[in-house]
Amino acid sequence: MQFVNTTPLQPLDHLSSLLGVELRMKLDQYFPCFGGGSKARKFAEILHEIRRAGANAVVTAGSANSNHARVVALACAQYGWKCTIVIHDTEDYGKANLRLMKLTGANLVFVPMQEVADRMNHEMSVLVSSGYTPYYVYGGGHHPAGIRAFHEAVHEFSLQAETWSPDIVIVASGTGGTQAGLTVGFHELYARTQVIGISIARKREPGKKAVVDAISAYGIDHQRGSPDVTKIDFRDDWIEQGYGESCDAKVEETIRIVASTAGVILDPIYTGKAMNALFDLVERREIARDSRVLFWHTGTIENFLSSKVT
Ligand SMILES: Cc1ncc(COP(=O)(O)O)c(C=O)c1O
């Protein structure tokens, strides 16, 4: 397999000593297209399907902080596709991602959450009647192609890691696609590695179900077998007040510690919650001393810059 868009795998010695584990980070924040991050990795796969379908317009949805929506806006600008984003949020251009969406000239439509699905369908019809061939992209890039992106990312990781094999992988989990792809990939190549998804919003049962459903929608390789979906580990203990920029003092402190000991920027909506979980799991000894831990950094700096963390 050849990987065109690779991201660094970084050992973090100071933070490892502080935590008492062997910590490495897969830095998808440096994914080299569309502003980077896990959503860029996903969309780089989804866009092959858009091209295959011969589409010249995209309709998707997200919040003002949505990395996915920012990625779609930048990608559409690059490919010359018309872009409509249905946003279930306020029109607050203090949010860096929303500002970037606006900068690309994407058509931004603001609606209440409960109207998103109807409005997306409406925008698809409007584009068809204007002569476009639009492609419907689910919020969060929740497509099997996005799951494949993370399945393949584990192959990319394994080439970089050589003989180093993680006991535990920690990743921020929302719609569940990233965790689903990593679960399939680690099951295939490492078998004993445990992938733990840290919820950014959903409660445990619906969050876990989303990961399980994503794995079955993706389909499995019958030769290598399916991951045991009863063992999907999706934790909701670090949601704070839910999705959004709400951020308690402990998450802020975690973000500061990681910035000052590793030079890595996290954010309070996604990656800060996942790292907060890692700190707690180490403190509770649920992650044993000297474990090999891989933190999959999914974010980009936009979410930090939109926050009030100093
Ligand atoms: C930075 C970041 N991390 C993690 C996630 C969760 O990814 P997924 O929706 O694939 O579970 C998101 C998306 O919401 C995100 O933007």
Side-chain angles (χ1 to χ4, degrees):
M1 231 179 254
Q2 220 199 345
F3 298 103
V4 183
N5 294 318
T6 55
T7 61
L9 174 66
Q10 186 73 50
L12 296 169
D13 297 339
H14 300 302
L15 191 53
S16 291
S17 320
L18 190 78
L19 291 170
V21 297
E22 220 183 284
L23 178 65
R24 296 192 183 187
M25 265 198 211
K26 184 72 173 140
L27 293 170
D28 271 2
Q29 69 191 106
Y30 298 123
F31 193 82
C33 344
F34 318 133
S38 57
K39 298 294 174 174
R41 189 186 277 282
K42 273 188 180 181
F43 200 69
E45 277 300 311
I46 297 169
L47 70 79
H48 294 307
E49 305 204 337
I50 299 176
R51 295 176 83 179
R52 269 198 295 278
N56 57 7
V58 172
V59 175
T60 195
S63 69
N65 275 313
S66 169
N67 293 310
H68 162 75
R70 175 254 306 160
V71 161
V72 173
L74 292 173
C76 286
Q78 184 172 326
Y79 285 86
W81 298 332
K82 182 113 180 120
C83 181
T84 295
I85 305 176
V86 177
I87 297 168
H88 43 85
D89 214 335
T90 50
E91 203 169 344
D92 172 4
Y93 294 103
K95 306 277 163 59
N97 278 330
L98 186 61
R99 202 155 70 245
L100 290 172
M101 292 175 227
K102 184 158 187 264
L103 196 65
T104 65
N107 173 30
L108 306 181
V109 182
F110 295 84
V111 300
M113 182 64 129
Q114 63 276 15
E115 290 174 23
V116 170
D118 285 348
R119 191 57 190 255
M120 283 177 78
N121 290 332
H122 171 74
E123 294 298 333
M124 288 290 289
S125 314
V126 169
L127 285 163
V128 170
S129 38
S130 316
Y132 287 95
T133 307
Y135 198 92
Y136 187 106
V137 176
Y138 289 96
H142 199 57
H143 289 243
I147 296 161
R148 183 170 64 244
F150 279 91
H151 177 181
E152 289 179 0
V154 181
H155 286 257
E156 176 188 311
F157 160 80
S158 80
L159 287 178
Q160 296 170 310
E162 299 180 343
T163 56
W164 191 83
S165 64
D167 302 304
I168 308 264
V169 178
I170 300 282
V171 65
S173 198
T175 61
T178 306
Q179 187 179 352
L182 292 181
T183 301
V184 171
F186 277 100
H187 171 77
E188 181 183 319
L189 296 185
Y190 291 89
R192 294 214 327 270
T193 300
Q194 184 192 359
V195 177
I196 306 181
I198 307 301
S199 179
I200 54 164
R202 285 181 175 155
K203 299 300 278 179
R204 201 168 80 89
E205 283 315 317
K208 179 174 170 173
K209 185 175 178 309
V211 180
V212 173
D213 290 349
I215 291 174
S216 58
Y218 177 57
I220 47 146
D221 179 337
H222 291 283
Q223 242 182 350
R224 298 199 169 100
S226 160
D228 180 353
V229 291
T230 61
K231 294 208 176 114
I232 298 293
D233 201 341
F234 181 92
R235 313 277 182 110
D236 65 3
D237 314 51
W238 295 275
I239 302 175
E240 313 295 333
Q241 288 97 314
Y243 181 78
E245 70 266 41
S246 57
C247 176
D248 80 358
K250 193 151 171 293
V251 178
E252 281 202 40
E253 185 53 19
T254 299
I255 292 172
R256 257 181 239 118
I257 291 170
V258 174
S260 58
T261 56
V264 170
I265 307 303
L266 304 175
D267 71 80
I269 307 175
Y270 306 102
T271 53
K273 285 177 179 150
M275 185 57 81
N276 205 18
L278 169 55
F279 278 30
D280 280 352
L281 293 171
V282 166
E283 197 178 302
R284 289 185 207 160
R285 294 271 185 270
E286 207 180 311
I287 294 180
R289 238 193 125 66
D290 298 328
S291 297
R292 288 180 300 271
V293 181
L294 174 66
F295 184 90
W296 203 291
H297 190 316
T298 50
T300 60
I301 205 163
E302 282 82 8
N303 300 126
F304 170 80
L305 293 176
S306 303
S307 76
K308 296 188 174 62
V309 181
T310 52

